[in-house]
């Protein structure tokens, strides 16, 4: 298969039939803007036929691994199957064709959806107020931290700038802290993989702005002492932030607002029916207690007495987090998801996500190490294995991740969280069938056997993919994928190896 559409090009080949020009032809030189801005020669578009274009892009689309091809068990990142119906709904012309500066009276339907979605997210999280503006989980974190910051400043406690955070936190947490002008204080985890409450208690004080916590944490473990943790932070005058990027274990079962949290963000593009990857779009609404509501970004959707809706500014808010009102397409899909499942359905999603994760965990324990395991305790929607046993035989987790590609599967998240050596973080999600879970288990167990019997198979992987193993260092330094792949191919040929 040719690598780019330009390689299909041959001079004079024609693709589409365009209709005859039905407006006067314009001499570009005379009509279009300043001379310096005009193109001097042909743009150099490829000359290809319509079916070549179609076949090229369809072929390229299946060379890559994606959720439409198979399971994507990325822990923390929740790559679940998202119903295509929701895409269709979000693309209805009356919804997706709206300009964001249309007057309120012309967009009542969209404002109502935003308002009702906000209410639903409050119900799911157990909070009273929400903003739909943030365009990603990380931007939600920044928003939430700015709420906490505003709260302390408002109370004359500007010196409260320390955010406590466990060592298992997602990388965006410390980054958001820095952006919000706060400092990270690390809190240790205990041997159960939970927050070390004694360590936490020794670190709170008059400079504490709050605690940022993921629950279930990134080990897939529910913080069993969460109410005590919240009380310790509140007792010291701080607030408690929940990183709710992954609500897949909690929806319909437990609510951050009931656990003692004050504010939390959600990743609609993980839990609520928007696939993520390829850089977006995302949406990270933030929900909070009434005490933080005055600081939420504006404008927000408000329901008037007569039942109509308006976008209202918030005089005391932190300002806008986004030029417009939110990633509206993602909001539509989340609304469709919540409405189509209903309260019972959301609960079932969580139950099945947890069940699937525990099934994989139970079967994979046989060959892989499971750190922080506590007798009788289950995991939530995800769990973290360690590849230490395999590493001792010279095979890294990265090698096993690449070998999974040969089995036609995407790897779990690797090397995160940082507190587990050679981490493999697995999140099957509720949308995988028993058959696909079993296929994943068989592949993992088979790779574990290869590590014992023929480790070269794993350290040379992948061998069945369109692109073979790349030189990681070169790939990171030289971001030209085509050149990197070509250089690898030449190196392989020179070495007399088999280029796939
Ligand atoms: C994905 C994730 C984030 C960040 O979300 P983005 O939308 O990628 O910014 C934060 N925390 C956790 C636990 C996550 O899994």
């Amino acid at each position: 298969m040719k690598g780019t559409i330009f390689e299909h090009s041959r001079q004079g080949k024609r693709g589409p039939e365009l209709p005859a020009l039905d407006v006067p032809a314009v001499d570009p030189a005379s009509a279009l803007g300043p001379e310096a801005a005009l193109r001097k020669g042909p743009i150099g578009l490829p000359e290809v036929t319509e079916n070549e274009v179609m076949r090229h892009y369809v072929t390229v689309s299946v060379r890559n691994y994606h959720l439409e091809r198979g399971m994507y068990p990325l822990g923390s990142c929740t790559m679940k199957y998202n119903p295509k119906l929701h895409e269709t709904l979000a693309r209805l012309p009356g919804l997706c064709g709206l300009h964001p500066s249309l007057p309120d009276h012309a967009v009542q339907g969209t404002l109502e959806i935003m308002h009702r979605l906000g209410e639903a997210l409050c119900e799911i999280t157990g909070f009273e107020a929400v903003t739909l503006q943030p365009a990603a989980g990380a931007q939600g974190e920044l928003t939430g931290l700015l709420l906490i910051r505003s709260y302390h400043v408002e109370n004359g406690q500007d010196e409260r700038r320390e955010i406590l955070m466990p060592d298992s936190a997602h990388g965006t947490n410390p980054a958001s802290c820095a952006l919000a002008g706060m400092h990270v204080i690390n809190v240790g985890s205990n041997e159960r993989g939970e927050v070390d409450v004694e360590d936490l208690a020794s670190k709170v004080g008059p400079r504490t702005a709050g605690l940022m916590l993921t629950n279930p944490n990134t080990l897939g473990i529910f913080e069993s002492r969460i109410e005590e943790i919240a009380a310790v932070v509140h007792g010291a005058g701080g607030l408690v932030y929940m990183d709710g990027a992954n609500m897949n274990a909690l929806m319909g079962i437990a609510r951050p607002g009931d656990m003692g949290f004050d504010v939390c963000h959600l990743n609609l593009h993980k839990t609520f029916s928007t696939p993520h990857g390829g850089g977006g779009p995302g949406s990270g609404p933030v929900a909070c207690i009434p005490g933080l509501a005055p600081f939420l970004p504006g404008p927000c959707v408000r329901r008037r007495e007569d039942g109509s809706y308006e976008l209202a500014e918030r005089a005391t808010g932190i300002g806008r987090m986004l030029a417009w009102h939110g990633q509206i397409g993602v909001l539509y899909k989340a609304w469709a998801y919540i409405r189509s499942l209903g309260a019972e359905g959301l609960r079932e999603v969580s139950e099945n996500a947890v069940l699937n994760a525990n099934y994989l965990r139970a079967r994979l324990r046989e060959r892989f190490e499971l750190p922080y395991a506590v007798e009788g305790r289950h995991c939530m929607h995800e769990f973290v294995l360690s590849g230490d046993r395999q590493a001792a035989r010279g095979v890294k987790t990265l090698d096993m991740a690449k070998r999974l590609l040969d089995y036609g599967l995407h790897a779990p998240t690797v090397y995160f969280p940082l507190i587990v050596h050679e981490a493999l973080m697995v999140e099957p999600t509720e949308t995988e069938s028993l058959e696909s879970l079993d296929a994943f288990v068989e592949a993992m167990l088979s790779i574990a056997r290869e590590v014992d019997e023929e480790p070269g198979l794993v350290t040379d992987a992948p061998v069945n993919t369109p692109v073979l193993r790349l030189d990681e260092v070169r790939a990171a330094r030289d971001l030209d994928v085509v050149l990197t792949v070509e250089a690898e191919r030449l190196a392989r040929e020179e070495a007399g190896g088999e280029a796939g």
Side-chain angles (χ1 to χ4, degrees):
M1 216 268 317
K2 291 171 178 170
T4 76
I5 194 69
F6 287 89
E7 292 165 50
H8 294 275
S9 178
R10 187 158 42 75
Q11 201 179 358
K13 213 195 286 179
R14 283 289 167 269
E17 287 297 326
L18 296 178
L21 199 61
D22 61 354
V23 291
V26 178
D27 173 10
S30 69
L32 301 169
E35 175 65 24
L38 293 183
R39 195 165 63 223
K40 297 297 180 299
I43 192 172
L45 290 174
E47 300 184 55
V48 284
T49 65
E50 181 176 317
N51 63 355
E52 273 177 325
V53 174
M54 187 188 66
R55 286 176 187 160
H56 174 76
Y57 284 111
V58 169
T59 307
V60 168
S61 78
V62 294
R63 293 181 84 187
N64 208 353
Y65 194 88
H66 45 80
L67 206 48
E68 273 66 29
R69 282 186 70 181
M71 180 178 176
Y72 217 112
L74 275 188
S76 199
C77 291
T78 314
M79 292 288 279
K80 58 181 173 185
Y81 181 75
N82 300 291
K84 297 298 170 250
L85 176 63
H86 303 168
E87 300 284 345
T88 310
L89 293 175
R91 278 192 205 129
L92 288 174
L95 293 181
C96 84
L98 301 179
H99 192 282
S101 61
L102 278 168
D104 293 351
H105 71 81
V107 291
Q108 284 295 302
T110 283
L111 293 183
E112 180 173 351
I113 290 175
M114 291 171 73
H115 192 263
R116 294 177 67 178
L117 173 64
E119 284 182 336
L121 297 179
C122 283
E123 174 67 25
I124 290 168
T125 53
F127 288 116
E128 285 75 19
V130 67
T131 173
L132 303 175
Q133 252 180 45
Q139 206 188 15
E141 292 169 24
L142 176 61
T143 306
L145 289 168
L146 290 176
L147 301 186
I148 292 179
R149 178 98 198 90
S150 303
Y151 172 88
H152 291 311
V153 170
E154 183 74 13
N155 289 335
Q157 298 194 310
D158 189 24
E159 69 286 359
R160 289 193 178 269
R161 284 168 182 254
E162 292 180 355
I163 294 285
L164 296 139
M165 192 180 293
D167 43 13
S168 58
H170 192 272
T172 49
N173 291 186
S176 302
C177 254
L179 267 182
M182 319 241 244
H183 318 291
V184 175
I185 305 289
N186 240 304
V187 179
S189 305
N190 61 22
E191 69 296 340
R192 295 170 54 93
E194 299 181 30
V195 168
D196 182 337
V197 184
E198 286 63 43
D199 188 43
L200 172 70
S202 75
K203 287 177 176 165
V204 294
R207 296 189 169 278
T208 301
L211 166 76
M212 208 172 180
L213 197 65
T214 310
N215 194 25
N217 65 30
T218 60
L219 292 168
I221 296 168
F222 190 85
E223 294 285 350
S224 59
R225 295 172 74 182
I226 184 60
E227 286 168 323
E228 206 182 330
I229 290 169
V232 166
V233 179
H234 287 147
L239 295 173
V240 192
Y241 183 99
M242 156 121 161
D243 177 339
N246 315 88
M247 280 293 282
N248 249 33
L250 299 186
M251 279 188 300
I253 298 175
R255 311 193 307 170
D258 300 334
M259 297 175 203
F261 288 100
D262 300 297
V263 47
C264 107
H265 81 267
L266 302 170
N267 276 24
L268 300 187
H269 52 295
K270 285 178 181 168
T271 312
F272 295 92
S273 192
T274 286
H276 73 293
S283 175
V286 172
C288 63
I289 55 169
L292 289 174
F295 309 114
L296 283 170
C300 62
V301 185
R302 194 179 300 155
R303 193 162 188 271
R304 297 196 195 98
E305 295 266 297
D306 65 1
S308 65
Y309 297 88
E310 64 179 354
L311 279 169
E313 281 303 336
R314 268 198 183 92
T316 51
I318 56 173
R320 280 180 179 273
M321 292 303 291
L322 206 64
W324 295 104
H325 315 306
Q327 293 273 30
I328 196 72
V330 182
L331 302 180
Y332 289 145
K333 281 183 272 183
W335 177 238
Y337 183 72
I338 291 169
R339 291 289 291 169
S340 61
L341 284 169
E344 279 303 311
L346 290 177
R347 186 184 172 98
E348 230 174 284
V349 163
S350 306
E351 288 169 351
N352 287 331
V354 172
L355 181 64
N356 283 358
N358 278 286
Y359 177 72
L360 289 189
R361 179 176 175 267
R363 292 206 56 197
L364 292 173
R365 284 184 85 157
E366 194 189 302
R367 300 294 289 241
F368 295 90
E369 240 158 73
L370 181 69
Y372 301 107
V374 171
E375 187 55 36
R377 182 179 66 183
H378 297 299
C379 67
M380 294 288 119
H381 60 299
E382 62 195 5
F383 59 96
V384 182
L385 300 169
S386 164
D388 259 355
R389 205 179 295 170
Q390 287 72 24
R393 304 186 69 88
V395 179
K396 312 273 290 172
T397 284
L398 187 69
D399 300 322
M400 295 192 281
K402 289 191 187 290
R403 184 62 175 153
L404 271 170
L405 290 170
D406 284 335
Y407 284 83
L409 288 164
H410 197 280
T413 296
V414 295
Y415 299 108
F416 177 77
L418 306 177
I419 57 174
V420 173
H421 287 154
E422 297 291 328
L424 275 153
M425 184 188 204
V426 186
E427 180 181 359
T429 82
E430 75 285 0
T431 59
E432 294 306 322
S433 63
L434 182 58
E435 288 78 6
S436 71
L437 297 179
D438 281 337
F440 178 71
V441 170
E442 292 313 326
M444 289 289 286
L445 296 181
S446 168
I447 291 170
R449 273 194 301 276
E450 289 172 355
V451 170
D452 289 341
E453 293 158 14
E454 209 176 336
L457 277 179
V458 187
T459 49
D460 284 344
V463 294
N464 298 331
T465 47
V467 174
L468 303 179
R469 179 174 286 230
L470 297 179
D471 176 338
E472 304 277 328
V473 179
R474 175 191 229 127
R477 285 207 190 122
D478 185 354
L479 294 178
D480 188 327
V481 178
V482 176
L483 283 183
T484 309
V485 172
E486 187 56 19
E488 284 294 318
R489 194 183 61 77
L490 289 175
R492 248 172 242 271
E493 272 177 14
E494 262 168 41
E498 308 128 35

